[in-house]
Amino acid sequence: MEATNSLLDATAVGDLVLLDPLTEESLLHTLQERFCRSDIYVGAYPQTYIGNVVISVNPYQSLPIYTPEKVQEYHNCNFFAVKPHIYAIADDAYRSLRDRDRDQCILITGESGAGKTEASKLVMSYVAAACSKGEEVDKVKEQLLQSNPVLEGKRLRLAPCAQQLKLRQDCQHYSYLNRESSGLPGVDDAANFHATQDAMRIIGFSPAEVTALLEVTAVVLKLGNVQLSSSYQASGMEACSIAEPQELQEICELIGLDPGTLEQALCSRTVKARDEMVLTTLSVPQGYYGRDALAKNIYSRLFDWLVNRINISIQVKPGKQRKVMGVLDIYGFEIFQDNSFEQFIINYCNEKLQQIFILMTLKEEQEEYVREGIQWTPVEFFDNSIICNLIENSKCGILAMLDEECLRPGVVNEDTFLTKLNQLFATHKHYESKETQNARHVMDASLPPQCFRIHHYAGKVTYNVTGFIEKNNDLLFRDLSQAMWAARHTLLRSLFPEGDPQKVSLKLPPTAGFQFKASVATLMKNLYSKNPNYIRCIKPNETKTAMLFTPELVLAQIRYLGLMENVRVRRAGYAFRQLYGPFLERYKMLSPRTWPRWAGSDSRDGAEVLLTELAFPPEELAFGHTKIFIRSPRTLFDLERQRQERVVQLATLIQKMFRGWRCRTHYQLMRKSQIIISAWFRGHRQKNKYKQMKQSALIIQAHVRGWKVRREYRRYFRAGASARLANFIYRRLVQKFLVSLGRNLPPLVVTDRTWPPAPYKFLADANQELRSIFYHWKCKKYREQLTPQRRALLQAKLCASELFKDKKTLYSKSLQQPFQGEYLGLTQNPKYQKLHAVAKDKLVMADTVRKVNRASGKTVPRLLLLTTEHLVLADPKAAQPKTVLSLGDIRGVSVTRFSDGFLVLHLKE
């Protein structure tokens, strides 16, 4: 019960739902305490089918907790009875996907450096290891794992093919790259590049696709080095032009485009004035804006193409069952010193994720109560839908106002945008700015004039509106799209379908905020159709130092990730619930009526008896249809404490019984040894006494024998003549007996037991001995002339005689029937040929039998094949095996003593 003990450790619980008291300080202390033990994972388990959370604190070092043995340990585990681990949540999601009709999703959130990418890789590697085997499955698994290095976006040196891509090996040459360092310690760029190439090959990229991908990537790098210069037209207006044509020329050679076409698209813009198209020149800042917008669009669309290409490789074939488990890596809530448009939309996404988490968790929790017949009590929680509506309302939300400002004719800047927000949300309790504070007579020096503040679920965030309109209006000029479409580079053309002159649309493209809002809506719809699980990644320090825990930094992330609200929702109502069976099994030792085993048939009755005797307050417990519900963690910890005390008592009792048994066994061994020693001692003493008596007896015997010999010697000389005569007569009688016996020996038939009688009484013993010797010799000669087959048959007869003679009434009738073994004619009947091939070992017997049904007593015909290692029962019509048993699985055989043909096989459990 190591894992369960980990979850119920009162000083550092593995399940935050059981944290008591539930405060930010206790939650932070639990994370720090477990982190110091190298337990980097802690869970928050609602114990329903949805919304499980694992919190992962990045240790910034390798830990021995991701081995193949760990995969097996967590495979098909009980999610609520194991030590918190990323494998536990991956296995729970995988098993839910396999066993239920609902798709799964694992959302991974956290700051940069919190370990989100590594968490994604661990989830995918676990699922790949846990899923079923097969050639097609293994191929898809390998492609899935190899997508990591392709999508990670690690910095690569392209020196194997730099010349082909017209690139320099010096990374400092390219303005879009980090110019401070051209290398990273411990990173082998060449090995990374080869690993990426191998990964793309395994996924299924053709060499042409790889080359095209690298060429488009090189174009993005080189676009950042295209420099613009300003010149003045006759009208006096500033116009931009290409300062150094070399970089532009190389870009056009890579994509097959006329340099003049690209230069015109970068330095000018076509606008529609009434019914005609007018070409207007761009200023240098506008030209750089268009260049950067083109580079970002190429890179973004190339990444989308890469993801779609990988999905095509691993997608389920048509006609096969399709289940989906998504792994989503999302930036966590961000609060910086200076927060702009990027932080605004990221935090908006996190608000939506928090909303869906709360709603789906509460929905599942309520359904759990209904299923179990427990009264549902409404849960008080912070409903952040008011914040979501503040941002996303299609008529008067912040994003809608931003789009309206971007599309409004005339002078547009952030001041008019902020003024409109202040007017709309002057009384909104989750919005404030300098102007709204002044209206409320609130003095707050921390809120600058060009900013507004939103009270998010994770805290207050101040956003600087500078750049909001420009970033929201991050549009790609139509001229640039058409230039990319005009290129002869197939991949690049496919990324800009709107550049096709035949499909020109005068409709303005959507803003960045509109696109992001649509993406979030799609994501929410996707998540509502799945069972989401969550991995919250936490960065323990800013320096990426191994096993260093900074409480202030972690506490801020606890607030940003909304962990307190997560736990509050999960422990709403009853904090703990468990099926009656496992609950009774764990705590049955606390009642004499349930220990050592519950005599009743229903586990619920046993749990009620147990908890009634423990006298917990009635409001602390609720008995569902299949589960016991416990309201307070303290009640559970009290239950666990009593269990631990009782376990100690039982362990003491077992030790006492064992020590008593060991002492008794030791005493019995000592007593037995004492008896043996005493017996040997008495025997030794008796032997010494016997030797003395024997020596005296030998002396007396010697004297007596001497006296007898002397006496007989005297008698011999007196009776010598009579003795010699008697001896002569004896020898003649024996000679006559042997000669007569040799002439009258019985036939050499082993069944003939006749023998001539002894002519004289004194020869009776010798006659019987000769009879025995002759019979054994006759049997030996008979055995020597037997064939191996005849010998085996007689051995079988002998075995049958030893088994059944005088025991089975039917035995005497079967003596005249020779044992054939193979009664079916397997070799002659083609129908039975495949039966002969079922068991590859030697056939001993084959015959027809009738199998008795134990339930109904009816019999059915069967073919029985007995080999040296198996027993096979087959259907006589189809000649198909019905039962194949190993002889090692047969514990015994029984027959009756009557004249029936019953045979009973006893199998092992």
Side-chain angles (χ1 to χ4, degrees), residues 190-380:
N192 277 343
F193 182 65
H194 288 303
T196 303
Q197 284 185 314
D198 291 340
M200 288 193 287
R201 176 182 53 79
I202 293 172
I203 292 172
F205 284 80
S206 66
E209 287 177 317
V210 175
T211 300
L213 175 66
L214 295 177
E215 287 173 345
V216 175
T217 305
V219 167
V220 174
L221 276 178
K222 297 177 77 64
L223 271 174
N225 283 20
V226 173
Q227 299 298 317
L228 304 176
S229 61
S230 61
S231 60
Y232 290 90
Q233 298 176 335
S235 61
M237 295 184 62
E238 180 188 8
C240 72
S241 61
I242 302 298
E244 175 56 52
Q246 177 64 27
E247 206 76 61
L248 187 73
Q249 180 71 28
E250 293 180 354
I251 291 175
C252 291
E253 289 176 5
L254 282 173
I255 62 177
L257 180 65
D258 178 58
T261 302
L262 182 56
E263 181 176 4
Q264 179 176 326
L266 288 172
C267 298
S268 61
R269 181 184 180 188
T270 303
V271 295
K272 185 176 182 181
R274 296 182 180 178
D275 294 332
E276 60 178 345
M277 306 299 290
V278 179
L279 186 67
T280 62
T281 58
L282 301 176
S283 64
V284 172
Q286 289 174 331
Y288 279 126
Y289 170 82
R291 180 202 68 176
D292 294 340
L294 175 61
K296 286 189 286 187
N297 269 273
I298 293 176
Y299 191 79
S300 174
R301 298 182 188 203
L302 180 63
F303 187 81
D304 292 340
W305 175 86
L306 192 60
V307 172
N308 291 332
R309 177 65 181 80
I310 293 173
N311 286 336
I312 290 172
S313 295
I314 64 175
Q315 70 181 355
V316 179
K317 291 183 177 179
K320 293 189 177 181
Q321 186 178 13
R322 183 175 183 269
K323 292 184 178 180
V324 175
M325 186 173 80
V327 180
L328 187 61
D329 180 346
I330 300 179
Y331 279 111
F333 201 88
E334 291 186 348
I335 303 179
F336 297 148
Q337 196 70 27
D338 185 22
N339 302 287
S340 186
F341 182 71
E342 294 84 358
Q343 286 70 47
F344 177 72
I345 59 175
I346 288 174
N347 293 345
Y348 161 57
C349 179
N350 279 273
E351 283 286 356
K352 295 295 290 184
L353 290 175
Q354 177 73 359
Q355 182 184 42
I356 192 175
F357 166 77
I358 297 292
L359 294 179
M360 292 189 73
T361 302
L362 285 177
K363 178 176 178 291
E364 183 70 20
E365 189 82 358
Q366 186 172 4
E367 291 176 356
E368 171 87 356
Y369 278 52
V370 172
R371 283 195 302 267
E372 292 292 328
I374 304 296
Q375 183 178 358
W376 170 254
T377 303
V379 179
E380 293 185 5

Side-chain angles (χ1 to χ4, degrees), residues 16 27 31 40-43 53-57 535-536 538 563:
L16 294 180
L27 197 156
L31 291 180
I40 64 171
Y41 296 113
V42 64
V53 174
V54 165
I55 301 166
S56 170
V57 185
I535 300 175
R536 308 292 200 193
I538 289 180
L563 296 184

Side-chain angles (χ1 to χ4, degrees), residues 843-862:
L843 182 68
V844 177
M845 177 187 152
D847 200 355
T848 58
V849 298
R850 296 192 68 86
K851 180 178 179 294
V852 180
N853 188 305
R854 289 184 298 179
S856 64
K858 296 181 179 179
T859 63
V860 292
R862 288 288 184 266

Side-chain angles (χ1 to χ4, degrees), residues 391-457:
I391 298 172
E392 69 182 5
N393 187 285
S394 58
K395 292 184 178 180
C396 57
I398 294 177
L399 286 175
M401 293 301 100
L402 182 59
D403 287 351
E404 185 177 300
E405 283 299 302
C406 290
L407 301 177
R408 185 171 62 83
V411 179
V412 177
N413 56 45
E414 282 80 6
D415 292 335
T416 59
F417 168 60
L418 185 58
T419 300
K420 184 171 292 187
L421 294 184
N422 293 334
Q423 294 171 353
L424 282 173
F425 308 122
T427 60
H428 200 290
K429 62 180 180 180
H430 289 278
Y431 173 90
E432 60 180 339
S433 67
K434 199 69 177 177
E435 183 176 328
T436 61
Q437 285 184 345
N438 292 337
R440 299 171 190 166
H441 307 289
V442 175
M443 301 297 294
D444 185 359
S446 65
L447 186 58
Q450 286 296 107
C451 299
F452 66 90
R453 182 180 291 159
I454 294 180
H455 297 203
H456 288 283
Y457 78 91

